[in-house]
Amino acid sequence: LSCPEEIKLPEGYGILWQGIKWEANGKPCSKGLGIIYKKYHAKVSGWYKSSLFYAIPLYIKGYEIIAFWPTKNKTEEKSYPQIAQEIINHYIYDKSHDYSSAILIGDFNCFCGQKEGGRKFGDMKRVNKILNKQHFKSIYHHVTKEKLGEETKATYFHNFKEDKPFFLDYA
């Protein structure tokens, strides 16, 4: 975990960061989503909502890119799929914006078979179904022709253990 103020950026670059900060054992800590971008090529979209941990909509050369990391802040009691759906509801279902050239990308913190979402919010299959209804398609699944939940390559190994693979990243 790194504080965004400590990140040294090359000349002409900026960082957008959304998250929480705290202090532990006298040392500043942070947890959040950061996007490093070339200045003058990107801007935060006007419908950015800072209360949605963690998603940042960025407008770059005609594309809306929504960086996505639905995770829990220190007081969050919602499931990861529930948080993901709240972000999607705000950024995708808002009909006042044109998302025909939008890209959602990030660690969705959701996987197929996830128990914590329950009946109401489901798992990544439910999140993917919602995105498909809005004409979003998974790049990974489109290219590999694999089915959701049957991925052959993991994007995350829980506790850095190879015997705990998950497919969490999504574009």
Side-chain angles (χ1 to χ4, degrees), residues 64-144:
E64 186 75 34
I65 297 175
I66 303 170
F68 210 88
W69 185 41
T71 196
K72 300 174 184 183
N73 62 33
K74 289 185 140 192
T75 60
E76 195 69 65
E77 293 186 22
K78 298 173 186 171
S79 69
Y80 292 117
Q82 181 179 2
I83 297 166
Q85 289 171 51
E86 286 179 359
I87 293 168
I88 291 166
N89 285 341
H90 176 72
Y91 289 114
I92 305 306
Y93 283 115
D94 184 341
K95 299 299 179 200
S96 65
H97 309 296
D98 176 17
Y99 290 102
S100 60
S101 61
I103 299 168
L104 277 83
I105 189 164
D107 174 351
F108 274 49
N109 253 345
C110 302
F111 57 92
C112 294
Q114 186 169 6
K115 303 277 188 264
E116 87 165 76
R119 278 189 203 165
K120 188 171 182 182
F121 296 102
D123 60 7
M124 190 59 202
K125 285 183 180 178
R126 169 112 184 248
V127 171
N128 190 63
K129 186 183 271 187
I130 291 166
L131 290 170
N132 287 169
K133 283 183 182 177
Q134 295 300 314
H135 308 288
F136 284 87
K137 294 178 184 168
S138 163
I139 294 171
Y140 175 94
H141 298 95
H142 176 75
V143 169
T144 64

